[in-house]
Amino acid sequence: MSKTEALTQAFRKSIGLRIKEESEIMEGEIVEIQIDRSVTGAAKQGKLTIKTTDMEAVYDMGTKMIDAMTKERIVAGDIISIEKSSGRITKLGRSYARSREYDAMGADTKFLQCPDGELQKRKETIHKVTLHEIDVINSRTQGYLALFSGDTGEIPSEIRDQINTKVAEWKEEGKAEIVPGVLFIDEIHMLDIECFSYINRALEDDLAPVVIMATNRGKSQVRGTDYESPHGLPLDFLDRTLIIQTEKYSQDELKDIVAIRAQEEEVDVSPDALALLAKIAHEAGLRYASNLISTSWMIAKKRKSKVVDLADVQRSYSLYLDPARSVKFVEESAKKLIGNDGSVEFSASNGTGNGENMDLS
């Protein structure tokens, strides 16, 4: 799959479509079901008496409808809905008028009032899909099942053009509503100039979603070019964006985040250990502190404790280096590590081994 195809699919996954469909249904309370079973094995026939608060009617039933009624275990007193176009029968619940006919009921039994008005009604159903789902259904012989096959591969642009035309017609007729969503792209500086050119063009489309991009780069080289630009984004692309400045978390906020992470991992952390993890998050990074939760929990389990204590976090901190201590270790042991040219000096003096530790008291 090409880069632009991956971006196209990501964009179309972020564009929703509400398709309105009107169907005729028959909704009411079952009064009586009569089924005539032939001794000779001929087709089953029967009659269905159904009512609302305003009217009552009797309908003939064929074999297909009788089988559907039997499958749904529909009996007198049930409130049902029948789609006229497909014949699909849905059991909505039991009538309040029949609630005292049984001494015991299942926990999932739902009681409803008898419907009012006409038996036959028009019901509006709203189907929610994305443009990408419509693309996949129309580009694969499996149809809807293609959505579950994983990799959808390349989708021809001709199919997308036909779908866009049809969606525009539905929108004009009031049958569909387009709902642009949000597309989040992390590490946006990893894209190259070809991808940025595509996104530039895609953002000009009427169906374009809101695109949120994240990067931690300063002035760096734009991939695929020889020039540098702020955040690694081309200047013409950067001109289209609204830049949101983020702020560092406070100590209390870091403590709350670490506590939530520990709760998600189902790890009980003592107050002292939580305070130390918050301090480590402030000085060494939130990701590093989050990773220490699981390693500290393993150390606590080894000593058969159900709570991570201060000593467990200190032990975990001494075993696993954060990026700053790792860099210091590399600098101190540079001569003992294999360099780019493959050379190494085994006679070099030993460094401290783990860099300079922070104060854990």
Side-chain angles (χ1 to χ4, degrees):
M1 183 185 297
S2 65
K3 295 175 288 187
T4 54
E5 174 65 21
L7 284 171
T8 302
Q9 293 190 15
F11 266 78
R12 292 179 76 85
K13 285 178 183 177
S14 305
I15 302 172
L17 193 66
R18 292 196 188 106
I19 303 174
K20 302 175 184 177
E21 180 185 14
E22 282 193 353
S23 58
E24 289 190 2
I25 64 169
M26 190 167 61
E27 190 174 289
E29 177 186 340
I30 301 292
V31 177
E32 186 181 10
I33 299 176
Q34 295 178 346
I35 300 176
D36 299 329
R37 302 184 184 274
S38 175
V39 179
T40 59
K44 292 180 286 187
Q45 294 182 343
K47 291 186 179 297
L48 170 68
T49 306
I50 187 170
K51 71 170 185 176
T52 65
T53 55
D54 298 333
M55 64 180 296
E56 182 175 316
V58 179
Y59 295 93
D60 293 327
M61 294 193 300
T63 304
K64 185 178 178 180
M65 191 170 182
I66 291 173
D67 292 340
M69 289 276 193
T70 306
K71 183 179 178 182
E72 294 291 331
R73 298 181 180 178
I74 294 173
V75 296
D78 288 339
I79 295 176
I80 65 170
S81 173
I82 304 174
E83 286 189 12
K84 293 189 67 176
S85 58
S86 62
R88 187 165 65 94
I89 301 174
T90 305
K91 184 177 179 179
L92 304 177
R94 291 282 295 172
S95 172
Y96 272 116
R98 303 291 188 103
S99 60
R100 302 196 178 192
E101 292 187 3
Y102 300 93
D103 295 331
M105 283 287 187
D108 56 347
T109 302
K110 181 166 44 171
F111 290 99
L112 303 171
Q113 296 286 355
C114 181
D116 56 3
E118 297 286 332
L119 274 170
Q120 298 187 27
K121 305 173 183 177
R122 296 189 68 83
K123 181 181 179 182
E124 185 181 83
T125 305
I126 297 179
H127 305 280
K128 297 178 182 179
V129 294
T130 65
L131 289 183
H132 176 68
E133 290 173 344
I134 300 177
D135 294 342
V136 173
I137 292 171
N138 287 274
S139 64
R140 297 290 180 269
T141 56
Q142 305 100 314
Y144 186 77
L145 295 176
L147 295 172
F148 304 97
S149 62
D151 185 17
T152 58
E154 298 272 352
I155 297 177
S157 59
E158 295 81 9
I159 291 179
R160 287 198 175 105
D161 292 338
Q162 294 173 7
I163 291 172
N164 290 342
T165 303
K166 193 64 178 178
V167 168
E169 292 177 5
W170 288 346
K171 184 180 177 182
E172 290 293 329
E173 297 171 1
K175 293 181 179 179
E177 177 186 0
I178 299 173
V179 185
V182 177
L183 174 62
F184 179 76
I185 305 177
D186 197 10
E187 308 290 351
I188 187 68
H189 55 268
M190 297 300 293
L191 300 183
D192 59 14
I193 191 66
E194 181 184 354
C195 296
F196 285 122
S197 299
Y198 171 82
I199 296 176
N200 247 335
R201 187 175 70 254
L203 289 176
E204 296 175 354
D205 198 294
D206 295 336
L207 305 180
V210 176
V211 181
I212 299 178
M213 299 164 286
T215 179
N216 58 0
R217 295 295 177 93
K219 190 171 184 179
S220 59
Q221 183 176 351
V222 180
R223 294 170 67 91
T225 67
D226 297 328
Y227 64 87
E228 292 184 346
S229 179
H231 311 298
L233 276 66
L235 291 176
D236 56 340
F237 183 81
L238 196 64
D239 189 50
R240 292 174 173 267
T241 62
L242 292 174
I243 301 175
I244 303 172
Q245 182 179 359
T246 57
E247 298 178 355
K248 288 186 175 181
Y249 290 116
S250 66
Q251 190 83 14
D252 293 336
E253 289 172 335
L254 287 171
K255 188 175 181 179
D256 292 339
I257 293 172
V258 173
I260 292 171
R261 178 62 181 266
Q263 185 179 6
E264 287 295 321
E265 295 188 13
E266 299 181 352
V267 176
D268 292 330
V269 183
S270 68
D272 291 340
L274 184 61
L276 179 57
L277 284 170
K279 180 182 178 182
I280 293 174
H282 181 70
E283 298 185 15
L286 183 56
R287 289 180 179 174
Y288 174 68
S290 299
N291 291 332
L292 288 186
I293 295 175
S294 57
T295 56
S296 301
W297 173 233
M298 294 174 66
I299 295 172
K301 284 197 298 183
K302 188 176 180 181
R303 61 181 182 85
K304 297 182 172 19
S305 175
K306 296 183 179 180
V307 179
V308 173
D309 209 344
L310 182 65
D312 301 321
V313 178
Q314 290 174 333
R315 175 64 174 160
S316 184
Y317 176 80
S318 66
L319 290 174
Y320 304 100
L321 301 182
D322 59 88
R325 286 187 294 155
S326 178
V327 169
K328 188 165 183 65
F329 167 74
V330 171
E331 291 175 350
E332 293 175 349
S333 309
K335 293 183 178 180
K336 295 193 66 176
L337 299 176
I338 300 176
N340 290 332
D341 56 355
S343 62
V344 60
E345 295 183 19
F346 293 102
S347 60
S349 60
N350 291 328
T352 60
N354 61 351
E356 183 180 353
N357 293 343
M358 72 172 69
D359 182 16
L360 297 180
S361 59

